[in-house]
Amino acid sequence: MPKRANILMIYTGGTIGMKKTPKGYMPESGYLQSLMANQRELNGEHLPKYTVIELKPLLDSSNMAPSDWVKIAQTVHDNYADYDGFLVIHGTDTMAYSSSAASFLLEQLDKPVIFTGSQIPMQEFRNDGVENLLATLLYLQQYCFYLSGVFLCFAGKLMRGNRVTKVSAKTYEGFASPNLSPVGEAGIGCDLGLEWSLVSRVENHSDELPDIIARPVQVGVFKLYPGMTPAFVRAVLAAPMQGMVLECYGAGNGPDGNAEIMAEIKAAADRGVVLVAVTQPQIGNINLDLYAAGVALRDVGVVSGFDMTTEAALTKLYYLLSKYDDIETVKHQITVSLAGELTR
Ligand code: ASN
């Protein structure tokens, strides 16, 4: 019998533990724990030992802010020595942002942190909460002594936390990992599969996590669209903005034929705003050398985000700008994989 793992469950809110109220579904303190206690599948020797703590207030994840990402990471940090792994129960709406942020805030993590949640509340029939919690707990039991980093487990798939994006508000397969295959898949057998080549441990891992540094910074996302005006671009990039994810077309292209728009982008880059290009299609890698429309963006100071998701690029900007004062360091670090978030 393998050693039984000791897991900390950090409950942040989300549909999984919500109750129906006259105002719509809302999380309620203690409710998820009472539902879990009555689920045969979620109790027994086949699972790790687990302790549940609630973050206050429990949130619909639409209300999550960067300070909540820090709170989640700090909770892992504060309890790091006492547990073998961590399970973060989270709403699906912004889970990909939180799991991406956690992967950076806990960059040197040498234990696994797995996020999960559900599309249907656990109080309802045909809910996916029991299944998602069960798969996550089983992954932690089977691999927590060998696995490190932040992951998201949903509909049987284990994916890197900074590679995921929410793709469905309608089906059980709520998340995809468009530019990196899932690292594991729970089939019908007892053993849960894991693709070891995709979960290589980070080099700078640590038994003791360094303090979490997070100062509030101003970052945003801006999707390029046909018809955008120079005034719009100026307003979006205006001070006090420090960093912006530009969701570009295709391989990283923009309207290079519009001199006024290009001048606004250049002015922002010259002021020190860090501009990171990601691609609007979910699948693909930025290449600012391919088209004249991409070279022009590179020439005015836009940095390639390679195949990062918008969620990873935004939270990485947040992390780097709150950690470093030097803009050139931030720009360089954007292009380097810190926690498996990009492939060049
Ligand atoms: N609105 C919910 C949340 O993100 C959606 C969910 O969890 N399925 O908290």
Side-chain angles (χ1 to χ4, degrees):
M1 178 88 181
K3 186 175 164 208
R4 214 170 155 204
N6 189 19
I7 302 301
L8 181 66
M9 271 195 200
I10 303 168
Y11 175 33
T12 70
T15 291
I16 190 166
M18 286 192 186
K19 214 173 191 176
K20 210 175 217 156
T21 78
K23 289 203 253 162
Y25 284 116
M26 279 168 72
E28 186 183 292
S29 177
Y31 185 56
L32 179 67
Q33 294 88 313
S34 68
L35 292 173
M36 283 171 61
N38 291 323
Q39 286 292 336
R40 190 175 58 94
E41 295 98 314
L42 297 178
N43 296 282
E45 298 286 312
H46 60 298
L47 294 177
K49 279 181 272 173
Y50 58 82
T51 308
V52 186
I53 55 169
E54 272 187 15
L55 298 192
K56 293 197 181 1
L58 291 174
L59 292 174
D60 184 302
S61 76
S62 336
N63 286 307
M64 289 259 172
S67 57
D68 297 299
W69 307 335
V70 175
K71 214 196 267 185
I72 294 168
Q74 193 66 52
T75 307
V76 172
H77 187 281
D78 294 346
N79 292 280
Y80 193 61
D82 299 331
Y83 294 91
D84 303 316
F86 300 85
L87 191 163
V88 181
I89 303 174
H90 197 289
T92 59
D93 287 341
T94 67
M95 192 176 342
Y97 291 90
S98 297
S99 59
S100 295
S103 78
F104 301 122
L105 292 165
L106 299 165
E107 207 189 319
Q108 282 148 314
L109 190 75
D110 199 26
K111 294 179 180 178
V113 174
I114 310 185
F115 281 68
T116 196
S118 74
Q119 301 280 58
I120 301 176
M122 213 197 264
Q123 70 158 197
E124 304 289 359
F125 286 120
R126 298 191 66 231
N127 79 80
D128 50 336
V130 176
E131 198 52 44
N132 286 342
L133 275 178
L134 183 59
T136 309
L137 283 168
L138 289 172
Y139 263 114
L140 284 165
Q141 174 57 41
Q142 196 165 328
Y143 294 111
C144 79
F145 299 107
Y146 319 102
L147 195 60
S148 64
V150 177
F151 299 90
L152 186 150
C153 182
F154 218 85
K157 292 199 173 78
L158 186 68
M159 297 164 273
R160 257 200 193 281
N162 49 27
R163 291 291 195 148
V164 287
T165 189
K166 183 168 175 179
V167 290
S168 174
K170 194 172 167 182
T171 63
Y172 292 121
E173 283 78 29
F175 291 88
S177 177
N179 288 312
L180 185 80
S181 308
V183 301
E185 191 132 18
I188 55 171
C190 294
D191 269 9
L192 307 172
L194 198 72
E195 188 52 66
W196 287 107
S197 62
L198 298 175
V199 291
S200 55
R201 294 180 103 131
V202 284
E203 273 163 27
N204 54 350
H205 66 81
S206 165
D207 288 336
E208 235 174 85
L209 291 176
D211 286 344
I212 289 169
I213 305 163
R215 303 178 268 168
V217 293
Q218 302 281 337
V219 295
V221 181
F222 151 36
K223 179 172 185 158
L224 272 52
Y225 60 94
M228 68 186 168
T229 61
F232 175 81
V233 177
R234 187 180 324 130
V236 170
L237 297 176
M241 239 355 130
Q242 295 167 266
M244 185 65 66
V245 178
L246 299 187
E247 288 192 350
C248 298
Y249 306 124
N253 306 316
D256 65 320
N258 188 321
E260 280 183 86
I261 287 183
M262 296 310 287
E264 293 298 345
I265 297 175
K266 181 171 187 320
D270 291 348
R271 280 199 311 275
V273 182
V274 181
L275 304 167
V276 182
V278 299
T279 181
Q280 288 184 16
Q282 276 182 1
I283 302 171
N285 204 315
I286 293 290
N287 179 353
L288 296 176
D289 298 320
L290 194 60
Y291 292 93
V295 171
L297 287 178
R298 189 198 62 200
D299 287 348
V300 293
V302 174
V303 180
S304 175
F306 295 93
D307 61 351
M308 274 193 285
T309 59
T310 295
E311 293 88 333
L314 180 77
T315 55
K316 189 174 180 180
L317 260 181
Y318 176 88
Y319 171 65
L320 293 174
L321 284 166
S322 66
K323 187 170 175 186
Y324 300 108
D325 288 320
D326 177 44
I327 297 300
E328 290 311 314
T329 306
V330 173
K331 283 189 186 165
H332 172 69
Q333 294 273 85
I334 280 289
T335 64
V336 174
S337 172
L338 301 178
E341 72 280 10
L342 63 82
T343 318
R344 290 179 64 124

